[in-house]
Amino acid sequence: MNQSNINTQKANKYDAIVIGSGMTGGIAAKELTQKGLKVLMLERGREIKHPEDYDTANKAPWEFEHRGKVPINSAEEYWSNNRFGTLANEEAGAFFTNDKQNPFIEKRPFDWIRAYHTGGKSMHWGRQTYRWGKHDFEANAKEGVGIDWPIRYEDIAPWYSYIEKFVGISGQKEGWDIIPDSDFLPPMAMLPPEIHFKDAVMKKLNRKVTIGRIANLSQAQPIHTALGRASCQYRNKCSRGCPHGGYYSSMAGAIPAAAQTKRLTIRHNAIAESLIYDETKQKATGVRVIDQVDKSVTDYFAKIIFVTAGSMNSAALMLNSKSSRFPNGFGNDSDQLGRNVMDHHLGSGATATVEGFEDDYYFGSRPTGLYIPRFRNWDGNQRKDYLRGFGYQGGASRSSWNRGIGMDGFGAEFKKSLTEPGGWTLGFGGFGEILPDPNNRIYLDPQKKDQWGIPMIVFDAAFSENDLAMRRDIMVAGAEMLEAAGFKNITTYNRETHMGLGIHEMGTARMGHDPKTSVLNKYNQVHACKNVFVTDGACMVSASCVNPSLTYMAITARAADYAVGELKKRNL
Amino acid sequence: MNRRQIVKGMAATVGGMLVLPAWASAWNSGSLQGFQSNFVGLEEALLAEIVEAIIPETDTPGAKKLEVHRFIDKMLADCFDQKSRDIFNKGLKSVETMASKSYGKSYLACTPKQKLEVITTMSKASDADDQGFARLAKNLTIRGYLSSEYVMTKLTGYEMAPGRYYGCVPVKA
C-alpha cells in the first residue's frame, strides 16, 4: 500500500475505537461514551437512520408485489441468505447483505448471513433472550471439552441484570436453574392450545414450557421512553425495523444512548482492514480503514480498541492484521484465532394438528412463541449418544392460506371456507448446542481478495456426530411431547442444513486462562496486547443452546467497565 | 434474526411438498431478464376465467375482479424459472383442449359449471404436468386472493398496528 495516500491526520484521534455498530458494538459505544470516553464507531455498511429509513415498515401485505415470495434474481444475488430460508424477501431483503458483491469461500458449506449497515444484525435478530445457567460456564471443564471458561455465572450475573433493564425483556418468572430468570417486563399471553400443551407435557413428561422471553417492550419503562422507544404494537413485523422502537436494536437503543453523551462519532462505509500495531509501544495504536464507496484509506488512532465486527469478521480482521510481533495474525500466538467456530443447529423439529379450540382466536400478532428449555443431559436425564442439549422454540397458530392448497375443491364453497380460520396447529424446532472443535474454522485465502483488496474468508466447518445424534433426538422428543398433549397428525422434520444458519456464529477468538490455548483473557483483552478487547461472539468458549445476544451484550458491558477502570489506572 | 421465519418456512415446506410438484418449488438461480408478461391476449383472458372458476364471485368479488390473474402473471415472471413457466403455459393449452373435447367449445365460452368441471378434472389428471398446473394455479390464486387489499381489509380484519395482544378472544369477535 502506498503510504503517501493514507490519511493519518491528528483529527483522527479518539479515546476508543469500536469496530462495528451491531449488537455488541452498540453496547460498547454506549458504555464507553457514558463513562466519559470520546468514541469513534466504525460501520462497514451504509447508514440506516432510525426510524425514518425503515422503508417497508408500514407497508400492507398487498403492497408487496410478490407477497413475500423471493424473486429469482434476489435468490441469486442473496444466495446464502436464501439457500434455506427466505430472509432476503421483499420485506427486509434490502437490509441483508448481497452475497454476490460480498463473496466468501466455502471449503465446506456455511450459511453466512450478514447485515452490513447501521445496527447490523441487531435490526433483524430473533429477539429471543435467555440467560445462560451456571452449568453452561462449567460444562467444558466438567466434560473435558475444549477449554474451561475463565469466568463463571456469578461474574456475569450483575451485567445480565444491567443489560436486561436497558434492553427490556418480556418474560415469565419461573425460578428454573436451566434458564435463570431475567429482570422481566410483563410476559405475553399463551394461546389456549399452548396452555393445554404446557400443562400436559409437565404432567406426563415432567418437561417445562414457558412463554418465549423476548426483547420486545411489553411495557415501556422510563429508561426506554427516554430514548424515544415505545411499547410493542403487536404487529410482528420486527424484521422490517420498528419505527416505534418496540423491540431492541442497536439503532433504537444503544446508539441513541451513546449519541446523547455527544461523545460518539459514527463513520459509515468504513471497512476495518487491519489493526495498527506499534512494535515499540507493544500496543495497538489504531485501525486502518478502507472506504467501501471510494476505496480511500484512512488511519484512525485511539488508546483502546473494541473489536465487535461480528464473530467471523472480527477474527478475519485480526487474521489480516500482521506484524513482526504477530506474523500469524493479531494476538494469534495460540493458533486458535479463527478456530472453534460454533453456531446453534436448527432445522429439525415436530408439528401436529390440534383438535378443538375452534371458538378461540387471538387479537394482535404476538412477536414471540413458546420456549421449551433444555431437558436432555439435565436433571438425571442422561443421553448416551450425545453431550449437552437443545431447547425448542415454536408455538400454536391457526392455519392460513397454505391449507387451501391441500384442501379439496374449487368454487363458491371452497371460497367461503378460505376466509374462515382453519384448524390449530402446534409445532416447534430445536436449537442445539454445537461443541467447540479446532477443526471447525475460518481462515483467509492466501490469494483471493474482495473488491477492497482484503483477503476473502474461507469457511471450513461442519456438524459433528454429536450434532447429528442430537438432531435425531430433537424429532423423537418433539413427537413425544405432541403425543403427550393428545395432538394428531404428528410430523417430524430434519432438514440438511449447514453451520451458520442459526446465525449465532461464534467462538473464533476464545477467552481462556492460558495464552497458549486461547486468544483473550477473562476481561476479553487480547492476551498479548491488552488495549484490544474482543467482546462479540468471537470470544465464546462454548455455545450453550440458548440465544446468545444477551450474553454477548453482558460480556461487552463488563469488559467496557474494566477497560475504563484500567485506562484511569493508566494500565493501558 | 428471523429464525422463527426460517423455522416457519421449513414447516410450510414440509406441508408444501405434499401438495406441489417438485418443479414448482425448485426455482433457483435461473435466468431472468426483468419482468415480461408471460401471456398474450387470449391467454390472459383464459387465466382470468380459470382463477374465477377457482374463487368465483358470490356476494363478494371473485378472483377475476380482484385481478388475481395479473398477480399470477407477475409471480410466474419473477419468482419461477423457465421450466415452471413452460409447464404452466402447457397447462393453459390443456385447459383449452379439454374444454373443446368435453364440451365442443372454447373454455371462455363454457358455462361456469363447465369451467369448474374442467379445472377439477385437471387437478385429478393422470398427466403429472396437468395436475401440477392445476395445483400451482390454485396455490397462486389462493395466495393472491387472500393477500389482496379487498380480502384483507373487508373480510379478514387486517390491522396495520394492533397495539395490543390478547391470547384468547372468541373467534367471531
Side-chain angles (χ1 to χ4, degrees), chain A residues 543-564:
Chain A
S544 178
C545 66
V546 301
N547 306 53
S549 291
L550 174 66
T551 300
Y552 298 170
M553 287 191 274
I555 284 176
T556 302
R558 177 177 176 269
D561 183 62
Y562 179 79
V564 174

Side-chain angles (χ1 to χ4, degrees), chain A residues 410-424:
Chain A
F410 300 90
E413 276 308 302
F414 175 72
K415 178 190 179 190
K416 192 158 171 279
S417 70
L418 274 181
T419 48
E420 285 165 3
W424 288 95

Side-chain angles (χ1 to χ4, degrees), chain A residues 291-429:
Chain A
D291 187 288
Q292 87 158 340
V293 181
D294 66 18
K295 301 196 165 85
S296 62
V297 180
T298 309
D299 287 349
Y300 292 97
F301 304 98
K303 294 170 201 159
I304 56 170
I305 297 165
F306 267 66
V307 181
T308 51
S311 310
M312 302 298 131
N313 277 323
S314 286
L317 165 67
M318 292 168 78
L319 285 166
N320 197 40
S321 306
K322 291 177 182 166
S323 54
S324 8
R325 170 63 186 86
F326 298 120
N328 302 317
F330 198 94
N332 193 21
D333 298 343
S334 62
D335 188 36
Q336 292 301 312
L337 191 59
R339 295 187 183 274
N340 309 299
V341 172
M342 296 173 282
D343 185 25
H344 293 136
H345 62 78
L346 51 71
S348 56
T351 60
T353 59
V354 178
E355 286 174 358
F357 305 98
E358 290 94 350
D359 296 336
D360 296 327
Y361 209 67
Y362 46 87
F363 181 86
S365 291
R366 186 183 63 182
T368 187
L370 294 183
Y371 190 76
I372 303 166
R374 172 177 156 188
F375 49 83
R376 292 302 201 206
N377 294 317
W378 178 257
D379 215 6
N381 188 353
Q382 297 309 117
R383 298 285 306 185
K384 290 206 177 79
D385 52 343
Y386 63 86
L387 292 172
R388 312 283 165 98
F390 56 89
Y392 288 108
Q393 296 178 26
S397 59
R398 292 200 80 156
S399 57
S400 57
W401 68 271
N402 287 305
R403 94 199 128 100
I405 310 161
M407 279 161 58
D408 275 343
F410 300 90
E413 276 308 302
F414 175 72
K415 178 190 179 190
K416 192 158 171 279
S417 70
L418 274 181
T419 48
E420 285 165 3
W424 288 95
T425 59
L426 193 147
F428 37 79

